[in-house]
Structure formats: structure tokens, C-alpha cells
Amino acid sequence: MNLKVFNRAWIEAVGALLLLVLLMFCEPIAKNLTGLIMADDADRAQVLIEQQEAFRNSLRAQAASASMQSAVSCIECDEPIPEARRAHIVGVQLCVECQAVNEAQARRYRF
């Protein structure tokens, strides 16, 4: 075997090994890269629109909660909301348990 053939085989083996490592340890990254490569302009535009909508919704929620007084007790179950939670989250209306239930339901019914 001459040196050129050996070097080429070595480079191909190293490339295959790097790809294997990428797929084994960085599968989510590999999927994202594959998605970016395979996506067309309409897919990229849709992702940008969804990101912008999520950002606008978070701004609206922050503005609404900033103008609200924090509740002393949960509006769902009437349990007291700890002072630390009220101080940390401006305009908080739900206790931790009710907030978790609310978020789980929102995830389930999201489109």
C-alpha cells in the first residue's frame, strides 16, 4: 500500500469516527444541523414568526404582571403565597402547585 492510499484511508476513517462521535454524543445538535440544512425558506420564516410571537407574548405577560399587585393568597386554591415568591415574581397570582398545573395544561393544549 502506498503512502497516498494510506493517508486517504486514514482521513476517511477519522472523518467517520468524528461523525460517529457527533451522532452519539451530540444527537440533538446533529438533528438541529440536519434540520437547518434540509429546511427551506418557508420553514425558516415560520420558525422566525413563531419566535417573534413568543417574544411578543412574553413582553405582554411581563407588562401585565408588572402592573398587577401580587396576591397574598392563590386565586385558584386560596392557599397563602409565600412572601419570597411574591417578592421575586411581580404580580404573582398563583401558588407554586397551581402554577405548575396551569403550565402543564397550557403545554397540553398548545397548538
Side-chain angles (χ1 to χ4, degrees):
M1 181 189 284
N2 68 22
L3 191 57
K4 275 185 165 181
V5 173
F6 178 76
N7 284 343
R8 182 161 181 86
W10 177 253
I11 291 171
E12 288 177 3
V14 169
L17 182 62
L18 288 174
L19 182 60
L20 179 64
V21 168
L22 177 70
L23 291 175
M24 286 177 57
F25 298 107
C26 305
E27 186 175 348
I29 295 171
K31 285 183 181 177
N32 286 341
L33 291 176
T34 305
L36 289 175
I37 293 168
M38 299 300 287
D40 62 358
D41 290 337
D43 293 333
R44 285 190 212 80
Q46 183 63 35
V47 168
L48 286 174
I49 290 169
E50 290 170 0
Q51 289 173 345
Q52 288 173 345
E53 285 179 17
F55 181 70
R56 281 191 212 109
N57 290 338
S58 70
L59 288 178
R60 283 189 202 111
Q62 287 175 358
S65 68
S67 65
M68 296 173 54
Q69 286 282 338
S70 295
V72 176
S73 62
C74 178
I75 62 173
E76 293 287 326
C77 67
D78 291 327
E79 290 294 317
I81 299 173
E83 179 63 35
R85 179 170 170 78
R86 287 185 281 145
H88 184 69
I89 304 171
V90 177
V92 67
Q93 301 293 309
L94 300 173
C95 65
V96 174
E97 292 83 12
C98 291
Q99 183 67 38
V101 169
N102 193 4
E103 289 173 2
Q105 288 175 343
R107 279 193 305 270
R108 183 182 318 153
Y109 295 114
R110 188 172 56 187
F111 290 44

